[in-house]
Amino acid sequence: MEERYHRQALFKPIGNSGQQLINQKHVLILGCGALGTASAEGLVRAGIGKLIIIDRDYVELTNLQRQQLFNEQDYLHQTPKAIAAKSKLKAINSDVTIHAHVMDATNITLEPLLKGVDLIVDATDNFDTRLMLNDLAQKNHIPWIYGSCVGSTGMSFTILPKETPCLQCILDAAPISGATCDSVGIIYPTVQMVVAHQLTEALKILVEDKGSLRSNLVTFDLWNNQYQTIKMDRAKKKSCPSCGDNPSYTYLNYESQTKTEILCGRNTVQIRNKRHVSIEQLANRLLSIGQVKKNDFLVSVAFQSYRVVFFQDGRTLIHGTNSIETAKKIYYQLTG
């Protein structure tokens, strides 16, 4: 088995001792889309000891362009992403213990799975889940690596509880666009660039080389040849509800969670979020999706066979379905 990882162990910052550490470590990946499948494959090839992968969705045709563990058979059989990923990963490295969970990640379903986890890799597609994950990681003192990509742009940041700014601090200091792959598209190299940053940071954490970790937020635009690192030291706030002196873990509270309900007799699901939206910004972003209508109070868009209406007060109506899961999927596809 030493021969399998020989080239990796030859890399001096890892070495044989680092390889042994990797073989003993436990990583959780939240999300099994583009970032999640690539990160999972990289960790499995690197010889991670135990891997948990979580995703609520199944494989669709549009996934095959960038989600590298899936094939046409997975799409034809509508295989859950976590299950399809596990099958491919076990074929790559049968020595790795892999647990696949087909589920909606909430603070209630996710927290029991964090026991013994050494690192969390973010591969989610929305900030509701990321902010919940941020609170859970701070509460349980688990490092995690944020990553996101859309179009030809991406970013990544490594979060160490009690040491670095958390995601909430970063969002307060440098608001991030809510553009999604469904609204502006994505090219495959963008995914690989984010994964390269996330996986490299993951290996540093797994071999316990904290001194080599990147302390800056990295952002890039491959198409426009832009690359930037932004210092985030001053972003950390003592008053932060997630990583501050007196954390309240706001996004683990019921009041802060996104609420859903089926509207009786209307073939409509309502989603309620505490965050108010900018009608103008949302309307401009949705123009590439379909026909957009707006006034001072709401913006609506035709998306596939659904009509989606966003209200300024944070409510959203998804007309054309009585399925909460379908409604949430559409909501996150459009809002990020």
Side-chain angles (χ1 to χ4, degrees):
M1 195 47 61
E2 288 182 3
E3 184 178 354
R4 179 174 198 140
Y5 307 112
H6 180 252
R7 300 298 187 273
Q8 183 166 274
L10 277 178
F11 181 61
K12 287 185 178 180
I14 294 180
N16 290 325
S17 60
Q19 187 60 55
Q20 289 177 4
L21 287 171
I22 293 172
N23 296 151
Q24 297 165 7
K25 293 297 176 68
H26 182 177
V27 175
L28 182 147
I29 298 180
L30 185 53
C32 221
L35 294 179
T37 53
S39 293
E41 181 171 340
L43 287 169
V44 164
R45 290 188 184 279
I48 191 66
K50 182 177 179 181
L51 182 67
I52 294 177
I53 49 178
I54 301 170
D55 198 283
R56 64 187 173 194
D57 215 343
Y58 58 87
V59 180
E60 298 183 83
L61 186 60
T62 57
N63 300 151
L64 303 185
Q65 170 250 346
R66 65 197 180 281
Q67 298 180 15
Q68 65 187 53
L69 287 180
F70 306 138
N71 57 36
E72 291 181 354
Q73 289 302 307
D74 297 321
Y75 153 63
L76 291 172
H77 291 98
Q78 294 186 319
T79 309
K81 289 184 177 182
I83 302 302
K86 178 180 178 179
S87 173
K88 309 300 191 306
L89 293 169
K90 290 299 287 185
I92 291 170
N93 191 342
S94 59
D95 290 329
V96 177
T97 299
I98 302 173
H99 296 293
H101 296 270
V102 182
M103 71 180 201
D104 193 18
T106 67
N107 62 309
I108 295 173
T109 61
L110 189 57
E111 190 158 20
L113 300 178
L114 297 179
K115 186 177 181 180
V117 167
D118 297 294
L119 172 68
I120 301 170
V121 177
D122 165 37
T124 61
D125 60 0
N126 69 86
F127 275 96
D128 283 338
T129 303
R130 286 191 179 107
L131 288 167
M132 178 268 294
L133 177 62
N134 184 62
D135 275 359
L136 281 175
Q138 296 295 326
K139 179 182 175 183
N140 291 277
H141 309 292
I142 302 172
W144 72 286
I145 305 172
Y146 160 69
S148 67
C149 53
V150 65
S152 61
T153 66
M155 60 180 60
S156 180
F157 186 70
T158 302
I159 299 171
L160 304 178
K162 305 299 183 183
E163 298 181 42
T164 69
C166 71
L167 182 62
Q168 184 65 65
C169 294
I170 293 172
L171 292 177
D172 290 342
I176 296 170
S177 167
T180 71
C181 298
D182 290 274
S183 60
V184 302
I186 187 169
I187 57 173
Y188 184 55
T190 308
V191 176
Q192 295 302 304
M193 179 67 86
V194 174
V195 170
H197 284 289
Q198 286 189 295
L199 267 179
T200 304
E201 291 290 282
L203 289 172
K204 294 174 189 177
I205 291 174
L206 295 174
V207 302
E208 301 176 4
D209 185 7
K210 288 178 61 177
S212 296
L213 288 169
R214 174 175 30 82
S215 60
N216 296 341
L217 171 70
V218 62
T219 70
F220 63 84
D221 185 333
L222 291 176
W223 203 264
N224 293 300
N225 308 306
Q226 297 171 354
Y227 187 93
Q228 184 179 19
T229 59
I230 305 170
K231 288 187 176 181
M232 282 290 158
D233 312 53
R234 296 182 180 180
K236 187 170 176 59
K237 300 186 303 180
K238 292 183 177 180
S239 60
C240 176
S242 184
C243 71
D245 292 344
N246 297 292
S248 57
Y249 307 122
T250 307
Y251 286 90
L252 303 185
N253 298 333
Y254 176 79
E255 292 74 17
S256 297
Q257 296 170 13
T258 298
K259 315 293 192 309
T260 56
E261 61 179 314
I262 300 171
L263 301 187
C264 184
R266 294 184 57 185
N267 196 32
T268 297
V269 174
Q270 176 176 265
I271 296 177
R272 290 180 290 130
N273 194 303
K274 284 186 67 176
R275 296 193 300 275
H276 287 215
V277 301
S278 166
I279 295 297
E280 196 66 34
Q281 290 180 7
L282 188 56
N284 290 336
R285 213 167 67 225
L286 294 174
L287 285 174
S288 61
I289 295 291
Q291 184 179 5
V292 174
K293 297 180 180 180
K294 72 179 180 68
N295 56 38
D296 292 341
F297 308 97
L298 60 85
V299 57
S300 67
V301 63
F303 177 64
Q304 298 175 358
S305 60
Y306 310 97
R307 184 166 61 90
V308 185
V309 183
F310 299 92
F311 292 86
Q312 194 173 40
D313 64 1
R315 289 181 302 114
T316 302
L317 297 181
I318 293 90
H319 298 285
T321 182
N322 279 325
S323 166
I324 287 177
E325 285 303 311
T326 298
K328 288 172 68 176
K329 181 177 179 179
I330 293 167
Y331 175 77
Y332 288 128
Q333 283 179 316
L334 298 183
T335 67

